[in-house]
Amino acid sequence: VPYSILIFEPDRRLKFANKSYLEKLDVDLDDVQGKLINELELFINKETLQKLLDDTLEQKSVFNNEIKVLHPEKGEIYTLLSYQPVTIDEKQHYLITSVDITKLKLLENQLKEYNQQLETIVHQRTEDLQSVNKLLTNRNKELFTQREELELTLKQLKGVQEQLIQTEKMASL
């Protein structure tokens, strides 16, 4: 089971910890059973632990709260932490579950990095295309102007040619 599951008594002492939790900490159930929640090695910062303690006192439920844990041997670990009150043997207990999402978080960060790189490439290529497009548009305007000038010159030459033909005709008469 990839989920770590902990069940706490109403006085916030650990009643049960599953195999996944025990293996992650490399401890036996006897080592942690009966300990208070703040006596366990959860490797979460003080603010997160205090919020967890406050929420358990208020009987709040929290689902899939992403937290970063600093494990002394494994470094940064990202986990989804959920907790909620449950009734066992007609007593209010607290169920805490967590799942390690470190690999997913690393992949998410890689995807964000790749996305940023792609956005940079797209931005650069867009700028290049805009620059080339502007250059081509200006060149097209120049060619259009030159064509208009050439057409006007051709029209004038045809007019001069017509006048020369008329002058030749008049001279031969």
Side-chain angles (χ1 to χ4, degrees):
V1 176
Y3 283 88
S4 293
I5 300 172
L6 305 172
I7 299 175
F8 289 89
E9 300 274 0
D11 64 357
R12 296 193 285 181
R13 292 191 181 279
L14 183 67
K15 178 177 185 168
F16 170 80
N18 73 339
K19 186 177 178 182
S20 176
Y21 175 80
L22 297 172
E23 286 177 354
K24 283 181 187 173
L25 292 181
D26 195 28
V27 293
D28 293 323
L29 182 58
D30 295 336
D31 297 332
V32 291
Q33 196 169 26
K35 285 190 175 183
L36 291 170
I37 194 169
N38 53 342
E39 295 174 339
L40 295 173
E41 294 197 40
L42 299 174
F43 304 111
I44 56 179
N45 64 36
K46 290 179 183 177
E47 294 83 20
T48 304
L49 179 60
Q50 189 58 52
K51 178 165 177 22
L52 176 66
L53 293 170
D54 293 344
D55 287 349
T56 57
L57 285 174
E58 296 174 24
Q59 300 293 308
K60 286 186 180 177
S61 295
V62 173
F63 298 99
N64 297 326
N65 182 22
E66 185 179 308
I67 61 169
K68 182 170 64 172
V69 175
L70 188 57
H71 191 280
E73 295 168 7
K74 298 178 183 177
E76 285 183 349
I77 297 173
Y78 292 90
T79 185
L80 287 180
L81 183 69
S82 299
Y83 44 93
Q84 66 183 22
V86 293
T87 303
I88 301 173
D89 297 330
E90 298 180 21
K91 287 187 199 171
Q92 195 71 16
H93 289 71
Y94 230 78
L95 173 69
I96 298 176
T97 60
S98 68
V99 63
D100 186 345
I101 59 166
T102 304
K103 288 179 184 175
L104 293 173
K105 196 68 177 169
L106 292 173
L107 289 173
E108 178 186 6
N109 291 339
Q110 278 183 330
L111 284 173
K112 284 180 182 177
E113 187 178 312
Y114 292 149
N115 188 42
Q116 184 60 43
Q117 289 172 357
L118 287 173
E119 284 181 16
T120 301
I121 290 169
V122 166
H123 180 72
Q124 181 61 46
R125 288 186 180 169
T126 300
E127 284 181 352
D128 292 347
L129 283 173
Q130 287 172 338
S131 178
V132 168
N133 190 32
K134 187 176 181 179
L135 186 71
L136 288 173
T137 301
N138 289 338
R139 185 67 182 138
N140 196 26
K141 285 178 184 176
E142 289 173 15
L143 290 172
F144 185 76
T145 303
Q146 288 176 356
R147 187 181 123 217
E148 286 179 333
E149 290 173 357
L150 287 172
E151 285 175 352
L152 182 62
T153 303
L154 181 63
K155 189 176 182 181
Q156 289 171 348
L157 285 173
K158 282 184 180 181
V160 169
Q161 183 183 25
E162 194 63 40
Q163 284 179 351
L164 282 173
I165 291 172
Q166 287 299 327
T167 306
E168 281 279 325
K169 282 183 184 178
M170 290 299 260
S172 65
L173 288 177

